[in-house]
Amino acid sequence: MSVLDARWRKSSHSSTNGSCVEVRRTAGAVEVRDTKDRSGPVLSFDQYSWHRFIDAVRAGNFDD
């Protein structure tokens, strides 16, 4: 994904029942929304916070 890619993307790991989120990058943030409620609220994260979150996910910090 490029540094600026305003298209919403869904993970290839998403389930078929719509229980997932979509992500897009803007000039100053990474935005996240619920796939089932695309007109609903959007969470916005700065690049640093987003990368820290992704690193924590990859490290398994949120696994049961």
Side-chain angles (χ1 to χ4, degrees):
M1 189 180 304
S2 69
V3 173
L4 178 58
D5 190 348
R7 293 176 293 157
W8 289 102
R9 297 182 181 268
K10 188 167 53 169
S11 170
S12 59
H13 298 285
S14 297
S15 63
T16 57
N17 67 3
S19 295
C20 55
V21 295
E22 297 175 325
V23 177
R24 74 176 174 184
R25 293 179 191 261
T26 63
V30 176
E31 298 179 334
V32 182
R33 71 179 180 186
D34 184 349
T35 299
K36 293 181 289 188
D37 186 12
R38 291 183 171 141
S39 62
V42 173
L43 298 175
S44 183
F45 301 91
D46 63 67
Q47 298 288 333
Y48 175 77
S49 297
W50 179 252
H51 287 290
R52 297 244 346 201
F53 170 70
I54 294 301
D55 290 344
V57 169
R58 288 182 177 149
N61 293 348
F62 304 108
D63 295 348
D64 291 324

